[in-house]
Amino acid sequence: MSFKATGLLVAMLAVLAVLGYYTVFNKPAPAAPTRPFVYSFAMENIVDIDVRRPNASLRVVWDEGNSVWKFADAALGEVDGGRMNGIRLLLSGPGANRVLFRSAPSEAQLADYGFARPLADIRIKLKDGSAHRVLLGDQTPDGRNYYTKSDDSATIYLVDFTWGNEIVRFVTEPPVKKATGDNS
């Protein structure tokens, strides 16, 4: 065999090796699956939040004229605007950790997940006049998620426990503005 033929074969082998390397090892990473949302709204479109629990409820309404949130029960005092922004962000659309059911669950399944007597019945009204209802079911046995269901869908989702805890806390510890003391 001649040096020219050997050189040509080595060069072709090198080109094939480089091409093989780039096609095998430089593949783009597969796209991460998009996280499902129970629902999604722009938080600035939320104008009325009514959270009902078995033994208590709390409703806040956006006062457009004064650009402040107000309790439906004025006796509670002033609403803490900072905390309300956090609640609005939470209620604008919880991301789901998992989709549990896509088809309509049976009444027994709904009861098993806490929807026969939900921990919270959340009613959200938007600027356009539309109303949405979300049910917070039981916490999962491991305590990491809550079962959640939007009223306009048969799908049951698992949402992070922190979301559910904050919704419950909204009623048990209302976002009342703390009085600032006079430091003089």
Side-chain angles (χ1 to χ4, degrees):
M1 194 186 255
S2 72
F3 287 113
K4 280 186 178 181
T6 304
L8 185 61
L9 286 175
V10 168
M12 287 175 43
L13 185 59
V15 167
L16 287 173
V18 168
L19 286 173
Y21 173 81
Y22 279 104
T23 58
V24 171
F25 294 111
N26 280 343
K27 287 183 182 178
T34 57
R35 185 175 187 189
F37 280 80
V38 179
Y39 59 87
S40 181
F41 313 123
M43 75 179 236
E44 36 301 322
N45 288 334
I46 299 173
V47 295
D48 189 323
I49 300 169
D50 185 3
V51 179
R52 300 170 187 185
R53 301 226 333 116
N55 298 322
S57 64
L58 183 66
R59 181 173 176 220
V60 292
V61 180
W62 177 248
D63 178 350
E64 186 67 40
N66 295 312
S67 297
V68 295
W69 285 94
K70 292 190 174 185
F71 290 110
D73 178 359
L76 289 171
E78 288 184 58
V79 174
D80 178 351
R83 186 151 168 237
M84 268 313 299
N85 281 335
I87 295 295
R88 281 190 326 155
L89 180 61
L90 287 174
L91 290 176
S92 67
N97 290 335
R98 183 173 159 209
V99 175
L100 197 58
F101 285 101
R102 287 200 188 275
S103 59
S106 69
E107 289 298 318
Q109 288 170 318
L110 286 172
D112 287 345
Y113 297 114
F115 295 111
R117 291 188 47 121
L119 292 175
D121 183 341
I122 307 151
R123 295 159 193 247
I124 303 165
K125 290 184 185 167
L126 303 178
K127 283 182 183 177
D128 67 6
S130 61
H132 302 276
R133 184 174 175 220
V134 182
L135 301 176
L136 180 66
D138 291 338
Q139 210 166 6
T140 57
D142 65 4
R144 293 182 180 170
N145 296 282
Y146 280 93
Y147 301 105
T148 305
K149 181 183 177 321
S150 186
D151 205 37
D152 60 352
S153 170
T155 306
I156 294 177
Y157 298 89
L158 294 180
V159 295
D160 192 80
F161 74 96
T162 56
W163 187 85
N165 288 350
E166 282 303 311
I167 300 306
V168 169
R169 182 174 166 244
F170 177 72
V171 175
T172 60
E173 298 174 33
V176 177
K177 188 175 190 176
K178 305 282 188 242
T180 56
D182 186 9
N183 294 332
S184 51

